[in-house]
Amino acid sequence: MATRVFPIKGATTDYCRIRITKMAISSTSIPKFALSNSLRLTSLKPKLPSSLIFKSQTPKPLTLKPNRRNQITSLFTGIVEEMGKVRELGFDESGESFDMVIHSPTVLEDVNLGDSIAVNGTCLTVTEFDSERLEFKVGLAPETLRKTSLIELEKGSVVNLERAVKPSTRMGGHFVQGHVDGTGEIVSMDVEGDSLWIKVKTSPEILKFIVAKGFIAVDGTSLTVVDVFDEEECFNFMLVEYTQQKVVIPLKKIGQKVNLEVDILGKYVERLLSSGFVESIKSR
């Protein structure tokens, strides 16, 4: 018998469990929709494009600060488990929560309410799931839509999915938090044999943490940086044939955005250097 689990009122939240607060979205009204007991959202896509609803803000330099945002509550490896498909997305019947329903047979095998799942590298919380329809629902905060490429998703989009690791999980990639630092824009995609070279342009605030032969998570995929082009504000990486078939990056086009999470070790190093920690050690 299939199980249907629904959210418990009054549940606590953390960084990956953000509740969307009510926002004023100009004078244009956005319809409210009912959520059926089978988790099926009905025509949830808003009339206004998400880019107009969730306006971008000036990016801030990446620095490590002692707040909840930088606490590791879930951990991923950047090894994509499956590609899921967006079934519905938009506001719920209250008009307060912007939700997304994803079809995903694999990650639902042992899912529980409150579990963390990386969607294109963004740590999101399972708020409802339907084991019969093989779907789960997550909420998207306004800041998440401003900060990530999820704002470009629509019904039918394919997304990378990875469940948070367990203590027994084999570490096949690198330490990924699911805390997207920002986005990059694909500027070139070149084929060489059965490999695909991809160049991405990003902001100087993110690029300073990217080094040749270092790790980076692109749409939640753990990849090795090949080269960094400081003058172009770009970096590139290569996807072998197998990886091309398992992740969403090759399905994107030039000009589209990708989520970027730099190696957290680089941010810790910057924090130590900027705090004067190294100088204090030298003076001892």
Side-chain angles (χ1 to χ4, degrees):
M1 179 179 294
T3 59
R4 292 183 175 84
V5 184
F6 298 94
I8 301 173
K9 294 183 179 179
T12 58
T13 62
D14 59 19
Y15 173 71
C16 296
R17 298 166 172 79
I18 302 175
R19 178 74 177 174
I20 294 182
T21 57
K22 190 170 185 179
M23 303 174 297
I25 310 174
S26 75
S27 60
T28 304
S29 62
I30 296 178
K32 300 179 180 180
F33 304 96
L35 179 64
S36 70
N37 291 334
S38 63
L39 179 61
R40 191 172 185 175
L41 303 185
T42 306
S43 303
L44 284 179
K45 191 175 181 180
K47 291 183 178 180
L48 288 178
S50 300
S51 58
L52 296 181
I53 298 172
F54 302 99
K55 296 181 179 179
S56 61
Q57 297 182 342
T58 304
K60 299 179 180 180
L62 296 178
T63 54
L64 191 65
K65 298 179 181 180
N67 57 27
R68 293 192 66 189
R69 179 178 176 81
N70 294 298
Q71 294 178 1
I72 300 178
T73 55
S74 297
L75 191 65
F76 306 91
T77 67
I79 303 300
V80 176
E81 293 187 88
E82 74 170 320
M83 291 188 287
K85 179 174 288 187
V86 176
R87 285 287 177 85
E88 302 289 348
L89 76 165
F91 289 100
D92 67 2
E93 59 182 353
S94 71
E96 297 180 345
S97 179
F98 193 88
D99 301 319
M100 177 165 57
V101 174
I102 300 173
H103 179 262
S104 54
T106 300
V107 301
L108 281 181
E109 290 176 355
D110 59 353
V111 72
N112 293 293
L113 284 178
D115 280 358
S116 296
I117 296 179
V119 180
N120 277 0
T122 307
C123 178
L124 299 175
T125 301
V126 176
T127 58
E128 298 181 23
F129 67 89
D130 188 324
S131 59
E132 183 177 281
R133 296 174 59 85
L134 300 177
E135 296 175 348
F136 69 93
K137 182 164 80 78
V138 295
L140 300 174
E143 176 67 4
T144 301
L145 291 167
R146 284 191 293 262
K147 193 82 171 181
T148 72
S149 66
L150 298 184
I151 197 170
E152 295 185 343
L153 295 178
E154 57 186 13
K155 185 176 180 179
S157 293
V158 180
V159 291
N160 290 332
L161 299 175
E162 181 192 357
R163 290 168 289 189
V165 300
K166 298 178 179 179
S168 59
T169 301
R170 181 175 295 172
M171 180 60 69
H174 71 285
F175 293 118
V176 178
Q177 292 179 272
H179 298 175
V180 175
D181 293 306
T183 60
E185 179 184 330
I186 298 175
V187 295
S188 68
M189 304 176 75
D190 301 304
V191 176
E192 182 182 8
D194 62 359
S195 297
L196 180 64
W197 288 88
I198 298 178
K199 181 182 284 188
V200 175
K201 183 174 183 178
T202 188
S203 66
E205 290 78 15
I206 293 178
L207 193 66
K208 67 181 180 180
F209 293 104
I210 302 174
V211 297
K213 307 303 181 288
F215 285 121
I216 187 160
V218 181
D219 276 347
T221 305
S222 176
L223 298 169
T224 300
V225 177
V226 178
D227 288 307
V228 178
F229 310 94
D230 291 312
E231 294 183 358
E232 302 176 49
E233 297 182 351
C234 295
F235 69 94
N236 69 353
F237 56 88
M238 181 269 293
L239 300 177
V240 297
E241 183 179 17
Y242 177 83
T243 305
Q244 293 174 47
Q245 299 171 0
K246 301 297 181 181
V247 301
V248 303
I249 302 171
L251 302 178
K252 294 193 172 183
K253 300 177 181 179
I254 294 175
Q256 284 192 283
K257 293 180 180 180
V258 289
N259 288 329
L260 301 176
E261 181 185 337
V262 300
D263 191 344
I264 190 174
L265 295 179
K267 291 186 281 186
Y268 275 119
V269 170
E270 187 203 41
R271 176 64 175 168
L272 290 173
L273 292 175
S274 63
S275 67
F277 174 78
V278 175
E279 295 301 322
S280 66
I281 295 296
K282 290 181 180 179
S283 63
R284 291 181 181 177

